[in-house]
Amino acid sequence: MPKNMRKRKLEESGDGKKKRAVPKKEYVQEKFKPFTAEMQAEEEHLSNILFGGETNFLQSLEEAENETPGMLSPSMDSGVGDSEESDKERAAAWMDEEDFIETDIPNEASTKTKKSLKQKFVEVVGQPSWADVEKRRHDDDSDDDILQTCGFIKKNAKLHLPSNLLDFKVSKPLHRGKSNSYITSVEFHPTSSVAMVAGVNGIVHLYTVDGKKNEMIHTTQFKDYKVFCSRFTSNGSELIVGNNMNYCYAFDLMSMKTNKIAINGVTHFKKFVVSPDGKCMAICGNSGAVHVVNTHTKEKMFSLQQNSKATALAFNPQSNMLFGHGENGEVTVWDMGMRRVKHVWTDEGCLQGTCIDISPSGQFVATGSAQGVVNVYDTESLTKKYPVPVKSIMNLKTEIWNVQFNHSSEMLSLYSSEIQNTVKIFHLGSKTVFSNFPQLNPGLNKVRVAAFSPGSGYLAVGSMNNLVSLYRLNHYKSY
C-alpha cells in the first residue's frame, strides 16, 4: 500500500496505531453466509404464504390449463393469500346509470333491435362525422389536413378570375423581327408549350414558350407566299398555312416536310378554321360559299351557302354546328350532320360583320363589326331572329379585327388594327373590361393578332411592327 494511503488510514483510526487490513477473501466469506436449514425453513414459510403451499399451487396450475387462453377464471387462486377482502367483490369506482337501463328486449332480437335504433338515430340526428368511416379514411389521406398542422396555413385558392384588375406580368417578347414586315398569325400549339408566329414575309417561326428565353426552335420559309392565315390541327401534328392564292401548304411537324395542296373549287385560303374534333376545316369562299374540307385527306367534303359573303367562321365545341358571320350583319348557323342551314339571326346594330367566336363552354357567342362594336350573346337566346346581347362592348371605336375566348370562358380578347395599342380583355362574369390592361406600351403598335395559350397562362399579341408581345396571366397556373 502506498505510504500516503497508509498514513490516511492511521489518522482515521483515531488512536494512531496501525491496524491490520482485512483480506478481501475473508470479507467475502463473511458477507455470503452458507444456506442453512434455518434459512430453508424460512423460505418454505414464505412460499406457503404466496402460493398456498405446493398442493394448492399445483391445483391452481391445473385450473388455469382448463380455462380459455387469455381469460382469467374467477375461481383461480389470486396468489394473495387468504383474507376477507379477497373473498369479496370490489366495488366500482363510479356508477353509470345508463349502463343499467333495463329493457324488455329478448336476447335473440337484440342485434336486430340495435340496427333499428341505429337507423332511427341516423334519420333523426344524422350520421356523426366521427362515425363516417369513408370520410375519415378520405380525410386521413388528404394533404389538406397535413398542411393545416405543424405551422402550415391552409390557403383558399381563387377559383374564379377576379374582375377588378387583371393580374399580369410583361414577359420577354415572343418574337421580334425586322420592321419591314408585320405579323398576320399567332397561335399556341394545342399540346406542347410551343407557339407559331407567321407574317407577310412568308416566314413561319416556332418558339418554345417559357416567358424567360422563348427560344426559337424552327423556321420555315414559304417562297413568294405571304401568310395570311395559319392554324394547327386539333392534334397538333400539322400546320395549315394559307393566303389569297388557290393553294395552301400543310407543314408536317413530325417529319418537318411541307406539302403544297390545291383543292378543287377553293379559290383562296385567306380565312379558315379547324374544327375542335379535328375532322374538318371550313374555308370562307366567294359569294357566300363556305367549303368544308377533310383535314386528313385534304379533299373537299361539301360546300355550304349563306346570303352574303362570309367574313368569319366558328365551330361550336361539339363540332356539329358551324356559325358564319356575313357582310350584311347576319349570322348563319349550319347543321354539319344534315349539311344545311339551321337558323339565321341578325347581329344587333351590326352593318358589316368582321369576326365571330364561340366560348369553349358553349354558353356564349361573341361577334365583332366594322363599326367597332362587340356583342356577347347567350346561346339560348339565338333561336330568335333578333336576339338581344347580354352585353355590347363599345370600348373600341374602330373596326374589330378579331375576338377570342380563353379556355375557361372567363375572358374575351378584342382588338383593332386601326389605332395603336387598342387591345382589351373583357371579363364575362362582371361584364366589364379590365381597366389596367394593357399598360401604355409604345412597342405594342397596331395590333393585328392575339391568342391565349391552351391553359390561359399566356397571352400573345402581335402588331404591325413585327413584334409579338407576351403577357403572363398570373391567375392561371398552367400553360
Side-chain angles (χ1 to χ4, degrees):
M1 181 182 295
K3 293 182 179 180
N4 55 352
M5 186 177 296
R6 189 182 300 112
K7 182 178 181 182
R8 187 169 57 224
K9 291 289 184 180
L10 293 174
E11 291 176 354
E12 291 175 357
S13 63
D15 53 2
K17 295 182 180 180
K18 295 181 179 181
K19 291 187 178 181
R20 186 173 60 86
V22 179
K24 185 175 182 180
K25 184 177 180 180
E26 295 179 3
Y27 173 77
V28 173
Q29 288 180 352
E30 291 179 0
K31 182 176 180 180
F32 299 99
K33 298 180 181 179
F35 191 72
T36 62
E38 182 180 355
M39 295 174 65
Q40 183 177 359
E42 183 178 359
E43 182 176 340
E44 292 178 357
H45 176 68
L46 294 174
S47 178
N48 290 332
I49 296 176
L50 291 174
F51 303 109
E54 181 179 359
T55 304
N56 293 336
F57 179 68
L58 294 176
Q59 182 180 357
S60 298
L61 289 177
E62 292 177 359
E63 293 177 356
E65 291 177 356
N66 296 329
E67 295 292 337
T68 303
M71 300 294 293
L72 182 63
S73 173
S75 61
M76 191 174 188
D77 192 352
S78 64
V80 177
D82 297 332
S83 63
E84 295 180 357
E85 292 182 0
S86 63
D87 296 333
K88 297 180 180 179
E89 184 179 359
R90 293 187 179 184
W94 69 84
M95 303 290 291
D96 193 343
E97 296 180 358
E98 295 181 358
D99 293 341
F100 297 93
I101 296 178
E102 295 183 359
T103 61
D104 297 332
I105 301 175
N107 293 333
E108 60 271 11
S110 60
T111 303
K112 182 178 181 181
T113 306
K114 288 179 182 179
K115 292 182 179 179
S116 177
L117 292 173
K118 178 180 178 182
Q119 182 178 1
K120 185 68 176 177
F121 176 81
V122 172
E123 292 176 355
V124 176
V125 181
Q127 180 80 347
S129 59
W130 56 266
D132 193 343
V133 179
E134 294 298 326
K135 181 179 183 299
R136 289 170 62 190
R137 184 181 295 113
H138 175 73
D139 292 344
D140 292 341
D141 295 338
S142 176
D143 292 338
D144 292 340
D145 290 345
I146 299 174
L147 295 178
Q148 295 181 57
T149 60
C150 301
F152 288 96
I153 299 176
K154 182 179 180 180
K155 296 182 179 180
N156 294 324
K158 294 180 179 179
L159 299 179
H160 301 288
L161 178 69
S163 60
N164 47 3
L165 297 175
L166 182 64
D167 184 12
F168 71 95
K169 181 180 67 173
V170 180
S171 301
K172 179 182 177 181
L174 185 64
H175 171 81
R176 189 188 298 273
K178 296 180 180 181
S179 58
N180 58 353
S181 180
Y182 60 89
I183 304 300
T184 58
S185 185
V186 172
E187 191 174 20
F188 290 89
H189 193 274
T191 59
S192 303
S193 56
V194 174
M196 175 273 302
V197 177
V200 293
N201 56 5
I203 300 176
V204 175
H205 303 277
L206 295 178
Y207 293 91
T208 58
V209 181
D210 58 9
K212 298 179 181 179
K213 296 182 179 181
N214 301 328
E215 295 180 350
M216 185 174 61
I217 57 177
H218 188 76
T219 299
T220 300
Q221 173 75 57
F222 296 93
K223 188 177 180 180
D224 299 328
Y225 194 89
K226 296 180 179 180
V227 178
F228 288 171
C229 183
S230 57
R231 296 284 184 269
F232 286 112
T233 56
S234 60
N235 61 1
S237 62
E238 276 188 330
L239 178 66
I240 310 297
V241 178
N243 66 1
N244 57 352
M245 296 184 181
N246 61 353
Y247 61 92
C248 66
Y249 286 101
F251 178 66
D252 193 313
L253 296 176
M254 299 299 293
S255 63
M256 294 295 177
K257 294 181 179 181
T258 302
N259 297 320
K260 182 179 177 180
I261 300 171
I263 301 175
N264 186 27
V266 180
T267 58
H268 60 82
F269 295 83
K270 289 190 294 186
K271 283 190 177 182
F272 60 88
V273 292
V274 179
S275 63
D277 62 6
K279 295 181 180 180
C280 63
M281 56 185 289
I283 307 166
C284 293
N286 297 325
S287 303
V290 175
H291 308 289
V292 180
V293 177
N294 187 303
T295 54
H296 301 291
T297 62
K298 306 300 186 297
E299 295 178 354
K300 187 172 70 173
M301 301 168 61
F302 53 89
S303 293
L304 304 170
Q305 189 70 38
Q306 65 179 34
N307 296 330
S308 64
K309 181 181 178 180
T311 57
L313 300 170
F315 284 95
N316 69 338
Q318 293 77 27
S319 302
N320 59 353
M321 298 289 177
L322 177 64
F323 289 63
H325 209 185
E327 283 186 334
N328 62 353
E330 289 184 341
V331 177
T332 304
V333 183
W334 290 281
D335 187 314
M336 297 300 290
M338 302 182 69
R339 302 182 180 184
R340 68 180 185 182
V341 176
K342 181 178 181 181
H343 182 57
V344 178
W345 52 275
T346 301
D347 188 9
E348 185 179 82
C350 177
L351 301 179
Q352 181 181 355
T354 57
C355 53
I356 187 171
D357 193 28
I358 303 175
S359 65
S361 65
Q363 183 180 357
F364 301 105
V365 173
T367 60
S369 67
Q371 290 70 44
V373 179
V374 173
N375 289 328
V376 179
Y377 297 90
D378 192 313
T379 53
E380 294 183 356
S381 67
L382 299 182
T383 56
K384 303 177 182 179
K385 174 63 177 177
Y386 301 98
V388 178
V390 296
K391 180 66 177 180
S392 294
I393 309 170
M394 301 183 182
N395 295 73
L396 305 181
K397 304 300 181 182
T398 55
E399 178 182 348
I400 305 300
W401 197 256
N402 201 7
V403 291
Q404 184 188 13
F405 289 95
N406 77 318
H407 85 288
S408 61
S409 305
E410 294 177 296
M411 296 187 296
L412 175 71
S413 67
L414 52 143
Y415 49 93
S416 174
S417 62
E418 300 296 328
I419 301 176
Q420 185 172 328
N421 218 44
T422 52
V423 56
K424 296 293 182 181
I425 296 181
F426 178 74
H427 185 272
L428 279 92
S430 63
K431 298 180 178 62
T432 58
V433 173
F434 288 107
S435 60
N436 67 326
F437 184 88
Q439 297 173 342
L440 184 59
N441 183 2
L444 194 58
N445 205 274
K446 296 179 180 180
V447 177
R448 293 281 300 187
V449 290
F452 290 105
S453 61
S456 303
Y458 291 95
L459 172 66
V461 179
S463 56
M464 292 286 290
N465 59 352
N466 207 4
L467 174 72
V468 178
S469 300
L470 188 65
Y471 299 91
R472 178 69 175 95
L473 306 182
N474 296 323
H475 175 76
Y476 300 98
K477 304 305 179 184
S478 61
Y479 161 74

